[in-house]
Amino acid sequence: MRKTSPSPASVRPSMPPSSGVATSRPVPTRIVAYGRGAARAEDRPLAVEMPVNVVYGDVPYAVMMTTPADLEDFAYGFSLTEGIVAGADEIRGAVVEAGEGGLRLVVDLAPGRLREHLARKRALSGRTGCGVCGIDDLKDIPRAERASAKGVTVSLAAVERAVQALDDLQVLGRATRAVHAAAWATREGDILAVREDVGRHNALDKLIGALMRTGTRPEDGFLVITSRCSFEMVEKAASFGAAVLVAISAPTSLAVERAALHGLTLAAIARRDTVTLFTAPERLTVP
Protein backbone atom coordinates (compact mmCIF):
# COMPACT_ATOMS: atom_id res chain seq x y z
CA MET A 1 0.00 0.00 0.00
CA ARG A 2 1.27 3.42 -0.89
CA LYS A 3 -0.17 6.81 -0.04
CA THR A 4 0.38 10.00 -1.97
CA SER A 5 -0.35 13.64 -1.37
CA PRO A 6 -1.07 16.45 -3.79
CA SER A 7 2.53 17.67 -3.56
CA PRO A 8 4.25 17.95 -6.96
CA ALA A 9 5.57 14.72 -8.39
CA SER A 10 8.29 14.52 -10.99
CA VAL A 11 7.11 14.70 -14.58
CA ARG A 12 9.03 12.03 -16.44
CA PRO A 13 9.00 10.18 -19.77
CA SER A 14 9.13 6.74 -18.14
CA MET A 15 6.34 4.84 -16.39
CA PRO A 16 7.53 2.68 -13.47
CA PRO A 17 4.90 0.70 -11.58
CA SER A 18 3.20 2.59 -8.77
CA SER A 19 1.33 -0.43 -7.45
CA GLY A 20 4.10 -2.97 -6.98
CA VAL A 21 2.66 -4.95 -9.89
CA ALA A 22 4.68 -5.47 -13.06
CA THR A 23 3.44 -3.70 -16.19
CA SER A 24 4.49 -6.51 -18.54
CA ARG A 25 4.75 -10.27 -18.19
CA PRO A 26 6.64 -12.76 -20.40
CA VAL A 27 4.67 -15.70 -21.77
CA PRO A 28 6.01 -18.65 -23.79
CA THR A 29 5.00 -18.70 -27.47
CA ARG A 30 5.78 -20.60 -30.66
CA ILE A 31 6.35 -18.54 -33.80
CA VAL A 32 5.41 -20.32 -37.02
CA ALA A 33 6.16 -19.10 -40.53
CA TYR A 34 3.41 -19.43 -43.15
CA GLY A 35 4.04 -22.29 -45.57
CA ARG A 36 6.92 -23.65 -43.54
CA GLY A 37 6.99 -26.37 -40.95
CA ALA A 38 9.68 -24.88 -38.75
CA ALA A 39 8.68 -23.12 -35.55
CA ARG A 40 10.72 -21.42 -32.87
CA ALA A 41 10.03 -20.98 -29.21
CA GLU A 42 10.18 -17.44 -27.85
CA ASP A 43 9.09 -15.63 -24.71
CA ARG A 44 6.88 -12.68 -25.60
CA PRO A 45 6.30 -9.77 -23.16
CA LEU A 46 2.61 -8.94 -22.82
CA ALA A 47 1.14 -5.78 -21.32
CA VAL A 48 -0.48 -6.47 -17.97
CA GLU A 49 -4.17 -5.58 -17.87
CA MET A 50 -6.00 -5.78 -14.57
CA PRO A 51 -9.12 -4.38 -12.90
CA VAL A 52 -8.71 -1.33 -10.69
CA ASN A 53 -11.66 -0.37 -8.52
CA VAL A 54 -11.78 3.41 -8.14
CA VAL A 55 -13.26 4.26 -4.75
CA TYR A 56 -14.17 7.67 -3.32
CA GLY A 57 -14.32 7.53 0.45
CA ASP A 58 -15.81 4.09 1.07
CA VAL A 59 -18.03 4.15 -2.02
CA PRO A 60 -16.92 2.27 -5.18
CA TYR A 61 -17.32 4.36 -8.33
CA ALA A 62 -15.89 2.43 -11.28
CA VAL A 63 -13.97 -0.69 -12.21
CA MET A 64 -11.39 0.24 -14.82
CA MET A 65 -9.26 -2.19 -16.81
CA THR A 66 -5.83 -0.59 -16.67
CA THR A 67 -2.10 -1.06 -16.75
CA PRO A 68 -1.11 -1.04 -13.04
CA ALA A 69 1.27 1.91 -13.18
CA ASP A 70 1.01 5.62 -12.29
CA LEU A 71 -2.29 4.96 -10.58
CA GLU A 72 -1.91 8.00 -8.32
CA ASP A 73 -1.68 10.16 -11.45
CA PHE A 74 -4.71 8.31 -12.77
CA ALA A 75 -6.68 9.15 -9.62
CA TYR A 76 -6.20 12.87 -10.25
CA GLY A 77 -6.73 12.87 -14.01
CA PHE A 78 -9.72 10.53 -13.92
CA SER A 79 -11.35 12.59 -11.16
CA LEU A 80 -10.93 15.76 -13.22
CA THR A 81 -12.14 14.39 -16.54
CA GLU A 82 -15.09 12.65 -14.88
CA GLY A 83 -16.14 16.01 -13.44
CA ILE A 84 -15.72 14.85 -9.85
CA VAL A 85 -13.18 17.56 -9.01
CA ALA A 86 -12.25 20.89 -10.56
CA GLY A 87 -8.61 20.86 -9.52
CA ALA A 88 -5.84 19.04 -7.67
CA ASP A 89 -6.58 20.90 -4.43
CA GLU A 90 -9.88 19.02 -4.12
CA ILE A 91 -8.04 15.71 -3.71
CA ARG A 92 -6.27 15.11 -0.41
CA GLY A 93 -4.52 11.95 -1.49
CA ALA A 94 -4.81 8.53 -3.11
CA VAL A 95 -4.06 5.04 -1.79
CA VAL A 96 -3.34 1.96 -3.91
CA GLU A 97 -4.41 -1.24 -2.18
CA ALA A 98 -4.47 -4.90 -3.08
CA GLY A 99 -8.02 -6.08 -3.74
CA GLU A 100 -9.72 -9.33 -4.57
CA GLY A 101 -8.75 -10.11 -8.15
CA GLY A 102 -7.20 -6.69 -8.74
CA LEU A 103 -6.38 -3.37 -7.09
CA ARG A 104 -8.32 -0.70 -5.22
CA LEU A 105 -7.57 2.96 -5.83
CA VAL A 106 -9.03 4.84 -2.88
CA VAL A 107 -9.27 8.59 -3.52
CA ASP A 108 -9.64 10.93 -0.55
CA LEU A 109 -11.70 13.94 -1.60
CA ALA A 110 -11.71 17.28 0.18
CA PRO A 111 -14.62 17.94 2.59
CA GLY A 112 -17.88 18.62 0.76
CA ARG A 113 -16.69 17.29 -2.59
CA LEU A 114 -17.60 13.67 -1.79
CA ARG A 115 -21.19 14.66 -1.05
CA GLU A 116 -21.47 16.51 -4.36
CA HIS A 117 -19.90 13.58 -6.18
CA LEU A 118 -22.35 11.02 -4.79
CA ALA A 119 -25.25 13.06 -6.13
CA ARG A 120 -24.18 12.32 -9.70
CA LYS A 121 -22.60 8.89 -9.28
CA ARG A 122 -22.79 6.61 -12.28
CA ALA A 123 -21.89 2.94 -12.36
CA LEU A 124 -19.11 1.98 -14.76
CA SER A 125 -18.13 -1.68 -14.78
CA GLY A 126 -15.34 -3.59 -16.46
CA ARG A 127 -14.42 -0.92 -18.97
CA THR A 128 -11.13 0.19 -20.48
CA GLY A 129 -11.78 3.89 -20.35
CA CYS A 130 -15.08 3.81 -22.26
CA GLY A 131 -16.46 7.31 -22.13
CA VAL A 132 -20.21 6.69 -21.97
CA CYS A 133 -20.68 3.28 -20.36
CA GLY A 134 -23.26 3.45 -17.61
CA ILE A 135 -24.98 6.59 -18.93
CA ASP A 136 -28.73 6.22 -19.22
CA ASP A 137 -29.65 9.33 -21.22
CA LEU A 138 -28.12 11.19 -24.17
CA LYS A 139 -28.21 14.45 -22.22
CA ASP A 140 -25.74 12.92 -19.76
CA ILE A 141 -22.98 12.49 -22.35
CA PRO A 142 -19.94 14.23 -20.82
CA ARG A 143 -19.09 17.75 -21.92
CA ALA A 144 -16.10 19.57 -20.51
CA GLU A 145 -16.82 22.82 -18.70
CA ARG A 146 -13.38 24.34 -19.09
CA ALA A 147 -12.59 26.14 -22.34
CA SER A 148 -9.29 25.62 -24.09
CA ALA A 149 -6.41 27.92 -23.19
CA LYS A 150 -6.57 31.27 -24.96
CA GLY A 151 -3.80 33.05 -26.81
CA VAL A 152 -1.66 29.93 -27.29
CA THR A 153 0.25 29.30 -30.50
CA VAL A 154 2.45 26.33 -31.38
CA SER A 155 4.72 26.04 -34.38
CA LEU A 156 4.36 23.17 -36.83
CA ALA A 157 8.06 22.53 -36.20
CA ALA A 158 7.26 21.89 -32.51
CA VAL A 159 4.53 19.41 -33.46
CA GLU A 160 6.93 17.64 -35.81
CA ARG A 161 9.59 17.48 -33.12
CA ALA A 162 7.24 16.01 -30.52
CA VAL A 163 5.76 13.42 -32.90
CA GLN A 164 9.20 12.23 -33.97
CA ALA A 165 10.45 11.99 -30.40
CA LEU A 166 7.49 10.10 -28.98
CA ASP A 167 8.32 6.67 -30.40
CA ASP A 168 11.54 6.39 -28.41
CA LEU A 169 9.80 7.38 -25.16
CA GLN A 170 7.16 4.63 -25.23
CA VAL A 171 8.99 2.13 -23.05
CA LEU A 172 6.12 -0.28 -22.47
CA GLY A 173 4.82 0.20 -25.99
CA ARG A 174 8.13 -0.85 -27.52
CA ALA A 175 8.23 -3.95 -25.34
CA THR A 176 4.66 -5.13 -25.83
CA ARG A 177 3.15 -3.33 -28.87
CA ALA A 178 -0.13 -3.40 -26.96
CA VAL A 179 -0.55 -0.07 -25.16
CA HIS A 180 -1.43 3.52 -25.95
CA ALA A 181 0.57 6.59 -24.97
CA ALA A 182 -0.25 10.18 -24.11
CA ALA A 183 2.46 12.82 -23.93
CA TRP A 184 2.88 16.44 -22.84
CA ALA A 185 5.19 18.62 -24.91
CA THR A 186 6.37 22.16 -24.34
CA ARG A 187 5.45 24.80 -26.90
CA GLU A 188 8.90 24.19 -28.38
CA GLY A 189 8.12 20.50 -28.89
CA ASP A 190 10.17 19.00 -26.05
CA ILE A 191 8.30 16.07 -24.46
CA LEU A 192 8.31 16.33 -20.68
CA ALA A 193 5.96 13.51 -19.69
CA VAL A 194 4.61 10.28 -21.15
CA ARG A 195 2.06 7.91 -19.68
CA GLU A 196 1.11 4.53 -21.17
CA ASP A 197 -1.83 2.21 -20.63
CA VAL A 198 -3.83 -0.55 -22.28
CA GLY A 199 -6.69 1.97 -22.39
CA ARG A 200 -6.22 5.13 -24.45
CA HIS A 201 -8.51 7.08 -22.11
CA ASN A 202 -6.54 5.83 -19.12
CA ALA A 203 -3.24 6.92 -20.63
CA LEU A 204 -4.57 10.45 -21.11
CA ASP A 205 -6.08 10.53 -17.62
CA LYS A 206 -2.74 9.46 -16.14
CA LEU A 207 -0.94 12.18 -18.05
CA ILE A 208 -3.44 14.85 -17.04
CA GLY A 209 -3.15 13.70 -13.44
CA ALA A 210 0.64 14.01 -13.56
CA LEU A 211 0.31 17.53 -14.95
CA MET A 212 -2.20 18.47 -12.26
CA ARG A 213 0.06 17.21 -9.50
CA THR A 214 3.03 19.21 -10.78
CA GLY A 215 1.01 22.39 -11.27
CA THR A 216 1.64 22.40 -15.03
CA ARG A 217 -0.37 25.09 -16.79
CA PRO A 218 -2.32 24.06 -19.92
CA GLU A 219 -1.07 27.10 -21.82
CA ASP A 220 2.55 25.95 -21.43
CA GLY A 221 2.37 23.13 -23.97
CA PHE A 222 0.25 20.67 -25.92
CA LEU A 223 -0.97 17.07 -25.82
CA VAL A 224 0.06 14.24 -28.14
CA ILE A 225 -1.78 10.91 -28.20
CA THR A 226 -0.98 7.76 -30.15
CA SER A 227 -4.53 6.45 -30.32
CA ARG A 228 -7.68 7.08 -32.28
CA CYS A 229 -9.08 10.47 -31.36
CA SER A 230 -12.67 9.97 -30.24
CA PHE A 231 -14.89 12.60 -28.66
CA GLU A 232 -13.94 11.44 -25.15
CA MET A 233 -10.29 12.23 -25.82
CA VAL A 234 -11.26 15.73 -26.91
CA GLU A 235 -13.43 16.19 -23.83
CA LYS A 236 -10.60 15.10 -21.54
CA ALA A 237 -8.18 17.48 -23.23
CA ALA A 238 -10.69 20.30 -22.89
CA SER A 239 -11.31 19.42 -19.23
CA PHE A 240 -7.64 20.05 -18.57
CA GLY A 241 -7.81 23.28 -20.58
CA ALA A 242 -5.39 22.26 -23.33
CA ALA A 243 -5.31 24.43 -26.43
CA VAL A 244 -3.79 21.91 -28.85
CA LEU A 245 -4.35 18.16 -29.18
CA VAL A 246 -2.22 16.20 -31.65
CA ALA A 247 -3.29 12.63 -32.49
CA ILE A 248 -1.32 10.04 -34.42
CA SER A 249 -4.54 8.43 -35.69
CA ALA A 250 -7.61 9.95 -37.27
CA PRO A 251 -10.42 11.63 -35.31
CA THR A 252 -14.09 10.76 -35.40
CA SER A 253 -16.70 13.20 -36.68
CA LEU A 254 -17.94 13.92 -33.16
CA ALA A 255 -14.39 14.55 -31.97
CA VAL A 256 -14.05 17.28 -34.60
CA GLU A 257 -17.41 18.78 -33.65
CA ARG A 258 -16.49 18.87 -29.95
CA ALA A 259 -13.04 20.30 -30.66
CA ALA A 260 -14.64 23.13 -32.64
CA LEU A 261 -17.14 23.69 -29.82
CA HIS A 262 -14.35 24.04 -27.25
CA GLY A 263 -12.08 26.12 -29.45
CA LEU A 264 -9.52 23.32 -29.30
CA THR A 265 -6.97 22.96 -32.09
CA LEU A 266 -7.21 19.37 -33.29
CA ALA A 267 -4.32 18.13 -35.43
CA ALA A 268 -4.48 14.47 -36.34
CA ILE A 269 -3.11 11.79 -38.67
CA ALA A 270 0.25 13.12 -37.51
CA ARG A 271 3.10 11.54 -39.41
CA ARG A 272 6.80 12.29 -39.61
CA ASP A 273 6.24 14.39 -42.74
CA THR A 274 2.63 15.65 -42.55
CA VAL A 275 -0.17 16.51 -40.15
CA THR A 276 -3.82 17.21 -40.91
CA LEU A 277 -5.46 20.21 -39.23
CA PHE A 278 -9.17 19.79 -38.44
CA THR A 279 -10.11 22.68 -36.14
CA ALA A 280 -8.68 26.07 -35.13
CA PRO A 281 -5.67 25.83 -37.52
CA GLU A 282 -4.68 29.43 -36.74
CA ARG A 283 -2.98 28.27 -33.53
CA LEU A 284 -0.37 26.34 -35.48
CA THR A 285 2.18 28.67 -36.99
CA VAL A 286 4.42 28.03 -39.97
CA PRO A 287 8.03 29.25 -39.62
Side-chain angles (χ1 to χ4, degrees), residues 53-54 56 59-62 78 82 84 117 120-124:
N53 190 356
V54 183
Y56 293 97
V59 181
Y61 178 72
F78 179 78
E82 284 285 302
I84 294 168
H117 152 65
R120 61 172 294 276
K121 178 180 180 293
R122 57 189 174 99
L124 312 172

Side-chain angles (χ1 to χ4, degrees), residues 123-250:
L124 312 172
S125 179
R127 66 182 198 167
T128 310
C130 171
V132 294
C133 299
I135 288 179
D136 299 320
D137 195 288
L138 288 174
K139 66 180 175 58
D140 294 325
I141 291 178
R143 173 177 172 179
E145 296 182 359
R146 183 178 302 182
S148 300
K150 304 296 183 182
V152 176
T153 59
V154 174
S155 71
L156 284 174
V159 172
E160 178 186 17
R161 183 176 184 180
V163 169
Q164 292 185 356
L166 184 54
D167 280 349
D168 292 336
L169 298 176
Q170 297 175 59
V171 178
L172 188 59
R174 288 202 314 273
T176 66
R177 299 299 178 187
V179 298
H180 301 287
W184 177 254
T186 67
R187 290 166 69 171
E188 291 72 39
D190 297 317
I191 292 180
L192 298 185
V194 177
R195 295 294 184 269
E196 299 178 86
D197 198 278
V198 290
R200 56 197 170 93
H201 306 85
N202 298 339
L204 184 52
D205 278 338
K206 287 179 178 180
L207 177 67
I208 290 173
L211 300 176
M212 292 170 63
R213 297 174 71 201
T214 57
T216 301
R217 303 184 307 167
E219 60 267 28
D220 288 342
F222 60 95
L223 297 167
V224 185
I225 59 174
T226 62
S227 62
R228 174 175 62 88
C229 186
S230 59
F231 91 93
E232 307 101 306
M233 304 297 276
V234 168
E235 292 296 319
K236 290 178 184 295
S239 294
F240 177 62
V244 178
L245 174 62
V246 179
I248 302 301
S249 297

